[in-house]
Amino acid sequence: MTTQDRAMIMPLGEPAAEQLAVAVSIGERLVKEAVWSGERCNWVGAEPVDLRDRVGALTYRALGPNLYVGSSGVALFLAQLATTTGQDEFRPTALAAMRHAISRRDDVSPAARLGFYSGWAGMAAAALRTGRLLDSAELVDAGSGLLRDLARQLTGVTEGEAQEYNLVPGEQEYDLMSGVAGAVPAFALGHRCTGDEWMAEAAVTAALWLGRSARKSRTGWSWRSPGLRNQHDLTGLSHGAAGVAVAFLEAFRLTGEEVFATGARNAMRYEDRWLDVGEGNWPDFRENPADRRARTFVTLWCHGAPGIALSRLYAYELLGEARWRHDAMTALATTERVTRPLTNGGGADFSLCHGLSGNAEPFEEAREVLGAVGAVIPRLGAEAVGMDIPRLVADHGLERYARTGVSWPCGTHSGETPNLMLGLAGIGYFYLRLAVPQVPSVLLPVRWDR
C-alpha cells in the first residue's frame, strides 16, 4: 500500500461519509454472496441476451474472468474498497476473485484477449492494481505473466501470424473494449508498475499497429470493425476512434514520441468530422435495425458524449490544445442536458457502461483535469457546467435505492448483477470514487498506478 493509498483512510464529512457507506454496503453484500471453492470465489449474475434489447431476456450464470462482466472487475472494486477504508474483511474475497479470474483466463476468446474490458489486457491490469493495493506479490506476478503471454499474441497479430491464435486474418478488433487499443494502457501500466522495458516496447508495438491499420483521409483516421455492421467507422470510447485516441495518448505519455500525439489528433479529427452541433453529440454509427440510414445519437460512456468527453479531457491534459478542451465542454454540456432530468425520476439504469454513474464520471474527470491546469469551466447558465451532476446522481441513488432497499437498476435492463461495468461492483465503485476522489477512474484506465 502506497503513502497515497494510506492517505485515503481518513475521517470524511457529509455527504462523503454516506457515499462511502453505500460503497461499503455493496461490498459487504458482494462478500456475503460470493460462492467459494478452495482459495477462489465467484458470483452468479444476470446478463442480457442482447444488450441492445432493453426489455429482452436475461440469462443467469457464473461470472467469467474479464473486467467488464467478470470476477476480475469485482476483485478490483473490493481491493480498492479494502485499501480506501482500511477494512480488511474485503481483502480475502478480492484475492480469491482475482485468483478465479486468472484460473479461467483461457475462457476468453483469442480474438478478444488484447481488449481492455473484454480481454486479458484488462484482467492483467486489474491483477496488477489489485496486487499492489493488497501487497500481493502473487497477483502482481500473475498480472505480469498474463501481459507476457499477451505480448506473444500481439507479436503474432502484428506480424500477420494471427492463425496461430485461432484468428482469421483481417479480423482482429482494434478498439478499447476488445481490441488492440486496449492493450496499450495495460502494457503502459505494467511498465510503470514493474519498470520492465519489454512492456513499454509492447505498448509501442500495439500503438504502431493501430497507426498502420488506420483508414486515413484528409479528415482524420478511423478503423473498420470486423465484428459490427456500421453505417460508417465508429465514433466513441468503447468501440470507436475516441478509444484509439486514448491508446495513442498513452503511447505518447510513455515515449514522448510526436507520432503518437499525431495519431491521437487524427482519431479525434475523424470524430469531429461527424459532430452534430445541434445535438452537441457524435453519432452512433452502429446499424439501426429499424432504419439503416437513421442517424442515431446516444449519451453514454460506451457511445456518445460522456465517453468522448473523457478522451478529450485526457487529450487536453497531455497536449494542452484548446481544441480538445472545447470538444470536452461540448460533450459535458450534452451529458448534463441528458442526465439531469434522469435524476428526478425512477428506473434509470445506474451502471457504469450505459447508466447514470457512467454519465457522472466525466464531470469528476473534468474537476481533476481542468482544476489541475488552472482552467475555469465556463457557464451555460447560473453555475459551472454540470459540475453538480455527480452529486445529483449520487443523491438520487441514495434516496431511491440505498435508503429504501429497492434493487439497484443495473445495466442488464432488468435484474441485479454483481459485475463491474453493468452491476453492483461498478455502482459501489462510483460511490467510492465520489467519496474519495483519489481513487482512479475505471472508465478512463490511465492512472491506475497512483
Side-chain angles (χ1 to χ4, degrees):
M1 186 187 304
T2 68
T3 300
Q4 186 177 32
D5 292 328
R6 293 189 182 94
M8 295 182 189
I9 305 169
M10 62 186 75
L12 298 174
E14 297 290 348
E18 192 170 15
Q19 293 162 359
L20 187 61
V22 174
V24 168
S25 176
I26 290 174
E28 290 172 343
R29 178 177 168 186
L30 290 170
V31 167
K32 181 179 179 181
E33 294 178 356
V35 179
W36 284 78
S37 176
E39 294 185 338
R40 304 170 189 166
C41 72
N42 196 18
W43 292 262
V44 173
E47 290 185 25
V49 174
D50 185 348
L51 272 173
R52 296 168 296 181
D53 185 355
R54 293 187 174 272
V55 293
L58 294 178
T59 183
Y60 289 83
R61 56 189 172 197
L63 301 191
N66 70 27
L67 189 68
Y68 188 84
V69 292
S71 55
S72 60
V74 184
L76 178 65
F77 165 59
L78 292 175
Q80 188 68 68
L81 187 63
T83 301
T84 304
T85 63
Q87 295 179 227
D88 285 342
E89 59 264 37
F90 300 115
R91 175 187 171 90
T93 310
L95 291 169
M98 199 67 237
R99 290 191 192 107
H100 168 268
I102 296 298
S103 74
R104 305 301 301 181
R105 48 177 276 172
D106 289 341
D107 291 354
V108 178
S109 165
R113 287 176 182 172
L114 289 165
F116 197 88
Y117 293 95
S118 297
W120 285 1
M123 290 168 57
L128 286 169
R129 174 126 185 108
T130 299
R132 293 179 77 236
L133 288 170
L134 302 181
D135 294 323
S136 170
E138 170 198 354
L139 294 189
V140 172
D141 288 346
S144 297
L146 196 52
L147 284 178
R148 185 169 284 106
D149 291 343
L150 194 66
R152 283 194 281 269
Q153 175 162 332
L154 175 65
T155 299
V157 168
T158 57
E159 293 181 357
E161 299 171 355
Q163 60 270 26
E164 181 181 346
Y165 301 94
N166 300 316
L167 301 176
V168 177
E171 292 198 1
Q172 174 59 49
E173 289 286 359
Y174 68 89
D175 62 3
L176 188 64
M177 178 72 73
S178 56
V180 176
V184 179
F187 283 123
L189 171 67
H191 173 68
R192 289 193 289 268
C193 289
T194 67
D196 288 344
E197 285 302 320
W198 66 265
M199 294 191 187
E201 293 169 2
V204 167
T205 297
L208 290 173
W209 183 91
L210 290 167
R212 290 195 301 270
S213 61
R215 290 151 56 98
K216 300 174 182 178
S217 72
R218 290 177 297 174
T219 55
W221 296 2
S222 65
W223 290 261
R224 172 66 68 184
S225 172
L228 294 172
R229 296 179 64 182
N230 311 319
Q231 297 171 339
H232 301 283
D233 294 350
L234 296 182
T235 67
L237 191 62
S238 67
H239 294 292
V244 182
V246 169
F248 279 132
L249 289 166
E250 276 292 86
F252 173 68
R253 175 186 171 195
L254 186 66
T255 66
E257 295 291 335
E258 183 62 25
V259 63
F260 298 123
T262 297
R265 293 186 189 101
N266 278 309
M268 293 184 290
R269 283 178 56 236
Y270 167 77
E271 289 186 320
D272 282 356
R273 166 191 178 188
W274 299 107
L275 172 62
D276 186 300
V277 176
E279 291 282 343
N281 207 349
W282 294 256
D284 177 0
F285 284 130
R286 290 173 298 173
E287 186 173 271
N288 185 331
D291 184 350
R292 292 182 178 180
R293 296 183 179 181
R295 186 65 57 85
T296 303
F297 296 90
V298 295
T299 306
L300 309 168
W301 167 80
C302 46
H303 297 275
I308 287 175
L310 290 172
S311 72
R312 301 312 197 260
L313 287 165
Y314 194 45
Y316 180 62
E317 179 182 7
L318 292 188
L319 305 178
E321 296 166 0
R323 175 175 182 174
W324 313 125
R325 182 182 183 281
H326 183 270
D327 270 7
M329 298 314 305
T330 298
L332 288 169
T334 299
T335 304
E336 176 188 17
R337 172 173 53 82
V338 171
T339 306
R340 188 179 296 277
L342 298 176
T343 64
N344 295 322
D349 174 6
F350 228 87
S351 73
L352 287 177
C353 179
H354 43 257
L356 290 177
S357 58
N359 280 19
E361 176 58 33
F363 300 101
E364 287 300 292
E365 189 69 16
R367 194 186 309 279
E368 178 166 343
V369 171
L370 299 181
V373 297
V376 177
I377 297 181
R379 176 56 207 149
L380 296 182
E383 300 175 359
V385 173
M387 297 310 290
D388 62 338
I389 291 295
R391 178 185 58 79
L392 290 177
V393 169
D395 289 349
H396 174 66
L398 283 165
E399 292 168 7
R400 192 166 187 93
Y401 308 109
R403 294 171 185 159
T404 64
V406 173
S407 297
W408 289 93
C410 293
T412 57
H413 310 313
S414 61
E416 286 186 327
T417 193
N419 64 58
L420 183 69
M421 293 299 290
L422 300 182
L424 296 174
I427 295 169
Y429 201 102
F430 161 69
Y431 278 99
L432 181 63
R433 174 159 157 73
L434 195 60
V436 185
Q438 298 96 317
V439 171
S441 173
V442 295
L443 298 183
L444 185 68
V446 298
R447 300 186 182 90
W448 287 21
D449 54 320
R450 70 180 186 185

